[in-house]
Amino acid sequence: MSRKPCCVGEGLKKGAWTAEEDKKLISYIHEHGEGGWRDIPQKAGLKRCGKSCRLRWTNYLKPDIKRGEFSYEEEQIIIMLHASRGNKWSVIARHLPKRTDNEIKNYWNTHLKKRLIDQGLDPVTHKPLSSKPSPGTPKSSDFQDDDSTPSNPDEQSQSDSTSAKSLPPSSSCNLPEISSSEKTPKNDGSLSSKKRCFKRSSSTSKLLNKVAARASSIGKILTASMEGTLMSSTTLSSSLNDEFPENSQFQMDQFDPFSQSSEYITDHMKEDIGMNIDLNNPEYDFSQFVEPFSHIEGENIGGYNQDLLMSDVSSTGVDEENMMRDITSWSNYLVDHSDFTYDLLV
DNA sequence: AACAGTCTCAACCGCCTCGAG
DNA sequence: TCTCGAGGCGGTTGAGACTGT
């Protein structure tokens, strides 16, 4: 069955939108609301097709869209979700409110994908590109075996995405602690950029462990969410965006970067928030863990709640178990192979 | 300063899904 | 059940910006 293109029409304009066109579209939607895209161009006095209007609105003009550089947490969420879902940009976008699927897709293609390649990882499978195992390749015991099933059997190219052998990407060059003056997005992934980012400094180990701790935190939250033990609708971001307190266990002088386990770090995260909890206890009510964070005022990039995750998981038919294996392995990897992570990138 | 090569990302294209009739 | 159309989705393109020589 063939269908005529939706945007065929005499005199329809293409290409970049002008400020005048934007103004017309915004004005019309403010007055009449979204929907009925096919009729909008005529009613709004635009020589565009309805589809173009919808895209312009949803991707750029909508008032609650967040623009600009992606935060570290956003990057990690994208990478992890991509590892388990593949190029399901709209699914990934649901976990990053205020970001559009188009923006995430672009960011992946121009930044994150290249970074994975630079690190010797296949951006599709998240496995090493070369058959020869690299010195820091995680021990096989760090990852589950290959009985994982594709997250989406329809996508052969993604068939390995959920493999628990997936190597965790280390996006260390985008660590939030890198000063903004040093962080030149243009050069992400370039050798010079890497060298700049990874001068062996006193903060390197600290940063790597922060990465691992945060990854671990994300993993725990996702785990709890999928298990249904994440009771509150607290946000992920509030637990992740804030720097560790000054007296945190992540202070450099107390830190042995190569002997930490994710459990160690998680334990000290718990100390940081002043709670005595057992995250490894399957009976543990995870809401108690995230509760303190939910009181932190301010940012909310997440809106990363249980309902969202569960609806996402159920709608995509992802293998939750394998996804969590990946996340856990990913965070463990960063801790257990922090020396390799460093060497790889320098 | 000029040119060529590279990068970024807004926008487009075509297919898919879903709901209404 | 089938058809049709609106909206959604992911892949791709290309203009403009940027960088290197």
Side-chain angles (χ1 to χ4, degrees):
Chain A
M1 179 172 65
S2 67
R3 188 190 300 276
K4 65 176 181 183
C6 83
C7 294
V8 288
E10 296 288 324
L12 283 185
K13 192 181 169 191
K14 287 187 178 181
W17 280 63
T18 65
E20 184 69 20
E21 288 176 309
D22 284 348
K23 200 174 167 183
K24 283 182 180 176
L25 183 56
I26 291 169
S27 171
Y28 179 87
I29 291 176
H30 278 168
E31 196 172 339
H32 300 94
E34 296 179 45
W37 293 105
R38 175 158 289 213
D39 299 329
I40 283 184
Q42 191 185 0
K43 291 177 179 173
L46 292 163
K47 286 183 165 46
R48 296 276 183 173
C49 79
K51 201 169 183 175
S52 180
C53 292
R54 181 175 56 81
L55 280 173
R56 182 64 185 170
W57 173 256
T58 56
N59 285 337
Y60 302 98
L61 301 178
K62 226 173 174 177
D64 58 348
I65 288 176
K66 181 180 175 184
R67 313 285 305 164
E69 208 165 301
F70 279 68
S71 70
Y72 168 79
E73 283 79 16
E74 288 174 306
E75 286 186 356
Q76 300 313 304
I77 289 169
I78 293 169
I79 291 168
M80 285 191 293
L81 288 174
H82 186 272
S84 61
R85 316 292 169 89
N87 296 355
K88 297 294 180 187
W89 307 117
S90 62
V91 172
I92 294 172
R94 275 180 228 146
H95 293 276
L96 296 170
K98 301 186 180 182
R99 296 290 191 183
T100 68
D101 53 357
N102 202 42
E103 193 178 14
I104 292 169
K105 179 174 60 183
N106 280 334
Y107 192 70
W108 173 267
N109 286 329
T110 58
H111 294 95
L112 300 180
K113 193 162 129 184
K114 287 176 188 170
R115 198 181 301 161
L116 260 62
I117 292 170
D118 284 345
Q119 293 167 11
L121 300 174
D122 186 331
V124 175
T125 64
H126 292 240
K127 287 180 174 180
L129 281 167
S130 66
S131 55
K132 185 178 67 177
S134 55
T137 299
K139 298 183 290 285
S140 59
S141 58
D142 288 342
F143 303 98
Q144 301 295 318
D145 216 331
D146 55 2
D147 58 348
S148 59
T149 55
S151 59
N152 184 350
D154 296 332
E155 293 178 41
Q156 192 176 359
S157 66
Q158 295 296 333
S159 63
D160 290 333
S161 298
T162 54
S163 165
K165 283 180 178 174
S166 298
L167 267 183
S170 49
S171 308
S172 310
C173 232
N174 246 350
L175 290 170
E177 290 77 12
I178 300 299
S179 70
S180 57
S181 62
E182 279 190 316
K183 189 179 176 185
T184 50
K186 272 280 186 187
N187 289 333
D188 272 355
S190 73
L191 188 59
S192 59
S193 172
K194 281 182 222 160
K195 283 181 176 172
R196 231 182 311 122
C197 291
F198 282 89
K199 285 182 292 188
R200 187 180 287 278
S201 69
S202 63
S203 62
T204 303
S205 300
K206 180 181 176 181
L207 299 184
L208 286 169
N209 281 281
K210 282 189 177 184
V211 171
R214 289 180 181 216
S216 175
S217 178
I218 291 170
K220 295 292 184 184
I221 290 171
L222 288 172
T223 304
S225 189
M226 288 173 176
E227 289 171 353
T229 53
L230 181 54
M231 310 298 280
S232 69
S233 59
T234 187
T235 66
L236 173 65
S237 61
S238 55
S239 67
L240 297 172
N241 273 352
D242 294 288
E243 286 303 316
F244 295 105
E246 282 304 310
N247 61 353
S248 159
Q249 290 294 328
F250 297 101
Q251 289 289 323
M252 198 54 210
D253 54 359
Q254 303 173 24
F255 207 71
D256 177 358
F258 305 124
S259 66
Q260 312 300 329
S261 68
S262 57
E263 280 181 330
Y264 175 93
I265 291 172
T266 307
D267 284 343
H268 287 295
M269 284 184 67
K270 288 180 268 179
E271 288 180 22
D272 285 344
I273 61 172
M275 296 187 69
N276 182 21
I277 60 177
D278 180 8
L279 291 175
N280 295 317
N281 179 358
E283 303 297 320
Y284 180 70
D285 178 359
F286 199 80
S287 63
Q288 295 172 45
F289 173 67
V290 296
E291 172 68 12
F293 296 117
S294 67
H295 296 309
I296 300 172
E297 290 184 353
E299 297 184 59
N300 177 8
I301 64 160
Y304 205 74
N305 59 36
Q306 182 181 8
D307 290 343
L308 176 61
L309 255 172
M310 292 314 290
S311 66
D312 178 16
V313 167
S314 60
S315 69
T316 58
V318 67
D319 186 331
E320 301 164 26
E321 204 173 319
N322 284 327
M323 175 181 172
M324 290 317 306
R325 277 190 214 134
D326 279 353
I327 292 165
T328 303
S329 298
W330 190 89
S331 57
N332 287 340
Y333 172 85
L334 281 169
V335 174
D336 298 337
H337 301 273
S338 54
D339 51 343
F340 162 66
T341 307
Y342 172 84
D343 290 337
L344 184 67
L345 289 162
V346 173

